[in-house]
């Protein structure tokens, strides 16, 4: 029996590496290790053997069985790797090649409408000599509040519900006005820049409110900047974005970091000013708060307010997208439904 086992082992070793596909491997396995396979066939003789022989043969047979199983597993892995490589080679697809993607009938990736509008606005401001700045999502109390003339005890802290980190020192920025502070820290006046980005507020969602949304901050600091300069830039922006007559209204607005402060509202384009759930039945949508930079903010940014002044604004990008494309619920924008995203320009 031991000799027969040795023979079986040699034959197995010679053939196993030659198996090329799953079917022949399964067949091979059953020939050697199956119930009616060759190993069990040899072991049939054990019934008549004495105890010592049974022990010896049993041990050897067990070792052989384990070796066979290991080799079969290894060979199966090899076969699988070859199959995967072959499939990858056959179906290889360069998704950056538009024509090849289209030719295969696959859908090309596209940009989110917020990204599209953000880039468009960046281009408008670049053409007017503005820089583009960035800032971190995780901020500290100083950049989100303190430097913006919102001290610890100021009731304006409650205007925006904040996601605080456990250390109560860091937070998810509630507005892109943090970029004003970072811009002042990094630049010597005169300067003008815009800073787009995601902001976060712990508030209930509805047709015009999200918890994570996008703003685009703007700031210009120079000598003798006036409200007329501010209004000029706001008007230019809206004319370029909408390329149609849109009704706007400017009304006083309170933000601790500007004085005077304004709310620039746009007549709701979803209902043409008649009133709907997006504009909360007022006919107007708050889009572009702005104002003349408060001297305390310039001071906190290391700028002498007796020498320099400026304006700032904070545009709500998601709401702008809604007005531009007549989207009646902000939650469509971040719901992850591909059918929604696919409606926008792909490239
Ligand atoms: C601010 O965040 C100020 N930092 C803006 C500012 C900058 C004022 C510079 C003056 C000078 P407010 O909380 O109003 O302001 O938000 C600005 C805009 O973001 C709103 O007009 C609106 O268009 C948009 N917005 C506010 N909350 C939400 C929300 N929950 N979901 C979607 N858009 C929002």
């Amino acid at each position: 029996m031991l000799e027969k086992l040795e023979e079986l082992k040699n034959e197995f070793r010679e053939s196993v590496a030659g198996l090329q596909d799953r079917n022949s491997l399964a067949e091979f396995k059953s020939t050697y290790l199956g119930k009616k396979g060759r190993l069990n066939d040899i072991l049939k003789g054990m019934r008549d053997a004495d105890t010592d022989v049974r022990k010896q043969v049993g041990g050897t047979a067990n070792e052989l069985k384990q070796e066979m199983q290991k080799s079969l597993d290894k060979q199966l892995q090899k076969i699988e790797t070859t199959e995967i490589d072959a499939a990858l080679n056959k179906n290889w697809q360069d998704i950056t090649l538009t024509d090849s993607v289209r030719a295969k009938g696959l859908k090309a990736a596209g940009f989110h409408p917020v990204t599209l509008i953000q880039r468009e606005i960046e281009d408008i401001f670049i053409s007017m000599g503005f820089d583009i700045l960035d800032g971190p999502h995780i901020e500290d109390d100083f950049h989100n509040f303190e430097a913006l003339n919102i001290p610890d005890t100021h009731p304006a802290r409650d205007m925006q519900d904040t996601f605080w980190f456990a250390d109560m020192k860091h937070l998810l920025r509630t507005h892109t006005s943090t970029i004003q502070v970072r811009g002042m820290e990094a630049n010597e006046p005169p300067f003008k820049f815009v800073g787009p980005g995601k902001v976060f507020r712990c508030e209930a969602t509805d047709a015009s409110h999200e918890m994570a949304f996008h703003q685009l901050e703007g700031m210009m600091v120079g000598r003798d900047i006036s409200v007329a300069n501010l209004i000029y830039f706001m008007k230019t922006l809206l004319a370029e974005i909408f390329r149609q007559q849109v009704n706007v209204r400017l009304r006083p607005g309170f933000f601790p970091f500007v004085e005077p402060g304004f709310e620039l509202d746009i007549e709701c384009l979803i209902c043409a000013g008649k009133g709907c759930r997006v504009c909360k039945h007022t006919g107007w949508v708050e889009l572009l708060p702005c104002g003349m930079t408060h001297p305390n903010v310039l001071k906190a940014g290391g700028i002498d307010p007796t020498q320099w002044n400026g304006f700032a604004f904070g545009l709500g990008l998601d709401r702008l997208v809604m007005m531009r494309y007549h989207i009646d619920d902000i939650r469509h924008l971040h719901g992850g439904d591909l059918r929604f995203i696919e409606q926008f320009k792909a490239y």
Side-chain angles (χ1 to χ4, degrees), residues 175 177 201 203 209-210 213 215 217 255 286 289 314 316 319:
H175 52 181
S177 296
R201 290 185 196 174
E203 59 184 34
H209 289 83
E210 260 293 3
F213 56 100
Q215 291 183 339
E217 198 75 10
F255 300 93
E286 276 180 18
R319 289 199 193 156

Side-chain angles (χ1 to χ4, degrees), residues 149-299:
N149 200 28
I150 316 176
D152 207 8
T153 50
H154 201 291
R157 288 208 174 199
D158 299 333
M159 281 165 72
Q160 301 163 359
D161 294 311
T162 310
F163 285 113
W164 287 95
F165 282 81
D167 65 3
M168 289 306 280
K169 289 193 179 113
H170 293 89
L171 51 94
L172 290 175
R173 69 177 175 198
T174 57
H175 52 181
T176 46
S177 296
T178 53
I179 300 177
Q180 285 187 38
V181 185
R182 296 199 171 269
M184 286 187 288
E185 285 169 344
N187 292 285
E188 289 289 326
F191 55 73
K192 45 189 190 298
F193 58 78
V194 291
K198 202 165 224 169
V199 300
F200 309 85
R201 290 185 196 174
C202 181
E203 59 184 34
T205 63
D206 61 26
S208 56
H209 289 83
E210 260 293 3
M211 281 201 279
F213 56 100
H214 301 81
Q215 291 183 339
L216 183 130
E217 198 75 10
M219 188 180 211
M220 177 172 188
V221 172
R223 299 209 194 264
D224 303 322
I225 307 279
S226 69
V227 174
N229 296 124
L230 167 63
I231 291 174
Y232 165 78
F233 282 108
M234 300 303 94
K235 269 187 165 173
T236 309
L237 168 67
L238 294 174
E240 289 276 341
I241 285 292
F242 287 104
R243 292 195 193 110
Q244 72 175 78
Q245 177 67 34
V246 287
N247 294 328
V248 296
R249 70 176 186 190
L250 197 65
R251 59 188 169 92
F254 171 71
F255 300 93
F257 31 97
V258 284
E259 181 57 41
F262 307 102
E263 286 279 9
L264 192 150
D265 301 335
I266 173 173
E267 192 176 66
C268 184
L269 294 175
I270 306 291
C271 60
K274 289 192 189 76
C276 66
R277 59 194 190 117
V278 173
C279 60
K280 300 224 160 60
H281 305 281
T282 63
W284 296 92
V285 176
E286 276 180 18
L287 191 69
L288 223 175
C290 51
M292 302 305 291
T293 305
H294 196 289
N296 287 351
V297 173
L298 292 172
K299 260 190 239 163

